[in-house]
Amino acid sequence: MPSPTTFIIAQDNSRNVVVDGRGIAGQILCEQAGRVAELKKNGVTPGLAFVRVGEDPASKVYVGRKEKACAELGIFSEMHVLAEQATEGELLALIAKLNANPRLHGILVQAPLPKHISEAKIYSAVSPYKDVDGFHPLNVGKLMLGDSTGFCPCTPAGIVQLLARSNVTTEGAEVVILGRGNIVGKPMAAMLCQKGKNANATVTICHSATRDIQSHCRRADILIAAMGVANFVRADMVKPGATVIDVGVNRVGGKIVGDVDFAAVRQIAGKITPNPGGVGPMTIAMLMSNTVAAASQKN
Ligand code: GUN
């Protein structure tokens, strides 16, 4: 069991422009380490299965980081790798086996999947009670209905925590989300427009058919960039003092670049996430939190 000092603990971020995602994720991991220890005292070791299909280098790195976080927290994990040419049937058969394994409380099938496999079919096949990604239609539906008994997708859940723990008020805020994907954009909008704590925002989603994205961006109190276009958000698109969250991971000439022109936008923003070191560590922390929640449920 790691000691709480294993994790980097956030200092008081409230006066800093650059949001310390690693530090805030460290706080959450520390909280989860305590919950894992409690579960173990009661004879339950949380277990998480990772499934990767093919050899996509980015997916390998992401899943590797998630595995490492499990090891640090004392969560049991196992890795399943299928060949790029694996059939949908083979993947469904593996998921059925993992669903039936009582040692496993969570199952994560890393996206993207090869084109010949339907992601919708695969995410519907994962037991909704082991769906620590929050991608199963039952959990998507619960999120839309404001039913907190489901699992929420890790990246938008991490952004909610990042905002809350950096003292950014969402109540009544104009939030503009760039991107309408199922992993970030759509669930992010659903979470922030919910009635309740760390929500109650007025949300706009912009996408490839939006007219005049710039004018939407300029009125945002909180701007969340998750469109996958390197350096798309420029300084003249940001309201002075706004909070800017960069979810983008774009490979440009062997370097990882976000969706936000960080150097320029940090001069204007009230708060901004670095990239790397902003949203990425929060995704992993929320995956650990969902896994602990899965292991804690009685069903
Ligand atoms: N690919 C990019 N983000 C995610 C995520 O949060 N979960 C899974 N399973 N795949 C991803």
Side-chain angles (χ1 to χ4, degrees), residues 13-14 23 45 48 97 119 125 132 148 152 158 165 190 231 243 271 293:
N13 283 313
S14 56
T45 298
L48 175 56
K97 248 178 50 191
E119 289 194 352
V132 287
S148 62
C152 284
R165 293 175 190 239
N231 292 323
T243 297
K271 287 188 192 292

Side-chain angles (χ1 to χ4, degrees), residues 112-255:
L113 291 171
K115 295 261 177 298
H116 64 277
I117 296 178
S118 155
E119 289 194 352
K121 230 187 223 177
I122 296 305
Y123 292 123
S124 299
V126 171
S127 160
Y129 305 103
K130 296 191 178 189
D131 174 35
V132 287
D133 259 327
F135 293 168
H136 187 283
L138 180 75
N139 288 317
V140 176
K142 284 185 173 183
L143 171 59
M144 292 310 294
L145 294 168
D147 175 345
S148 62
T149 65
F151 292 105
C152 284
C154 301
T155 299
I159 293 170
V160 169
Q161 285 300 315
L162 204 56
L163 294 171
R165 293 175 190 239
S166 312
N167 303 315
V168 176
T169 306
T170 53
E171 172 95 23
E174 291 288 339
V175 174
V176 174
I177 300 168
L178 305 180
R180 56 178 158 186
N182 290 334
I183 295 180
V184 184
K186 279 194 271 185
M188 185 83 262
M191 283 178 209
L192 289 176
C193 73
Q194 215 71 247
K195 194 167 190 161
K197 198 166 165 252
N198 300 327
N200 268 342
T202 303
V203 179
T204 304
I205 298 190
C206 297
H207 47 74
S208 51
T210 300
R211 281 184 276 120
D212 197 1
I213 286 193
Q214 281 76 1
S215 71
H216 286 287
C217 292
R218 274 187 219 111
R219 40 170 207 81
D221 300 313
I222 301 171
L223 180 60
I224 301 173
M227 64 202 310
V229 179
N231 292 323
F232 180 84
V233 176
R234 308 271 173 192
D236 65 355
M237 293 162 68
V238 174
K239 180 161 84 173
T243 297
V244 180
I245 306 290
D246 188 358
V247 189
V249 182
N250 310 291
R251 238 154 263 269
V252 179
K255 249 189 87 183

